Amino acid sequence: MATVSMTVNGQAVSGEVEGRTLLVQFLRENLNMTGTHVGCDTSQCGACVVHINGDSMKSCTMLALEAEGAQVTTIEGLAQGGEMHPMQQAFQDNHGLQCGFCTPGMVMSAIDLVAKNPNPDETTIREQLEGNICRCTGYHNIVKAVQQAAKTMGG
Ligand code: FES
Ligand code: FES
């Protein structure tokens, strides 16, 4: 076991992990932050996406120890003062979720997408969210949500 320390949603955290412990396991099992989901074991679904130092990352593809010292943001860290993040609001407004299992990862990927491309067209959104699978096949409203959020986020 080894000690790993990082900042998660602005809070300094640390915990004991094995060398093989994935970042998503650390978040869910050590920190009880279960908003980050595990939807596959092949790094395909994107349900586990978080931000590492501002960039979206599948937290199932990274060891907890690799996040030593990192700034990590999870879905739990988005709402501020009881107000949803514009991307969360846009998903709600546009019915961009059905079962919601993929939604945390979808929202985290979409925020990174808009941060890097403030005015994405539909093709860009669909291509950039290729790594996030919604098994409900609700992509139409997800695209609409991202377009709305891009406007409210200043695109
Ligand atoms: S859990 Fe499916 S990509 Fe990470
Ligand atoms: S909303 Fe059900 S998997 Fe995406």
Side-chain angles (χ1 to χ4, degrees), residues 73-94:
T73 305
T74 71
I75 191 77
E76 290 94 340
L78 294 185
Q80 297 293 327
E83 294 283 321
M84 283 192 284
H85 185 282
M87 189 64 74
Q88 293 173 302
Q89 187 66 55
F91 269 67
Q92 183 182 68
D93 293 347
N94 292 280

Side-chain angles (χ1 to χ4, degrees), residues 49-58 73 75 78 85-88 91 103-120 124-125 128-129 132 146 149-150 153:
V49 171
V50 299
H51 293 175
I52 306 288
N53 300 324
D55 293 321
S56 60
M57 175 76 68
K58 289 179 173 175
T73 305
I75 191 77
L78 294 185
H85 185 282
M87 189 64 74
Q88 293 173 302
F91 269 67
T103 309
M106 198 73 79
V107 166
M108 299 307 286
S109 292
I111 291 170
D112 189 36
L113 185 170
V114 171
K116 292 177 177 147
N117 186 346
N119 192 16
T124 302
I125 293 169
Q128 300 266 313
L129 291 181
N132 292 77
V146 176
M153 288 169 68

Side-chain angles (χ1 to χ4, degrees), residues 6-117:
M6 64 191 79
T7 302
V8 179
N9 301 331
Q11 302 283 325
V13 298
S14 61
E16 294 293 307
V17 295
E18 295 182 56
R20 64 181 177 175
T21 302
L22 300 171
L23 178 59
V24 68
Q25 288 177 287
F26 178 71
L27 294 171
R28 291 178 57 86
E29 295 168 22
N30 291 58
L31 304 183
N32 290 321
M33 300 182 72
T34 54
T36 303
H37 294 161
V38 178
C40 72
D41 57 10
T42 51
S43 300
Q44 285 183 310
C45 76
C48 61
V49 171
V50 299
H51 293 175
I52 306 288
N53 300 324
D55 293 321
S56 60
M57 175 76 68
K58 289 179 173 175
S59 60
C60 74
T61 64
M62 185 170 178
L63 298 170
L65 288 170
E66 291 180 295
E68 173 69 32
Q71 297 279 343
V72 181
T73 305
T74 71
I75 191 77
E76 290 94 340
L78 294 185
Q80 297 293 327
E83 294 283 321
M84 283 192 284
H85 185 282
M87 189 64 74
Q88 293 173 302
Q89 187 66 55
F91 269 67
Q92 183 182 68
D93 293 347
N94 292 280
H95 307 290
L97 62 151
Q98 293 177 69
C99 77
F101 197 85
C102 67
T103 309
M106 198 73 79
V107 166
M108 299 307 286
S109 292
I111 291 170
D112 189 36
L113 185 170
V114 171
K116 292 177 177 147
N117 186 346

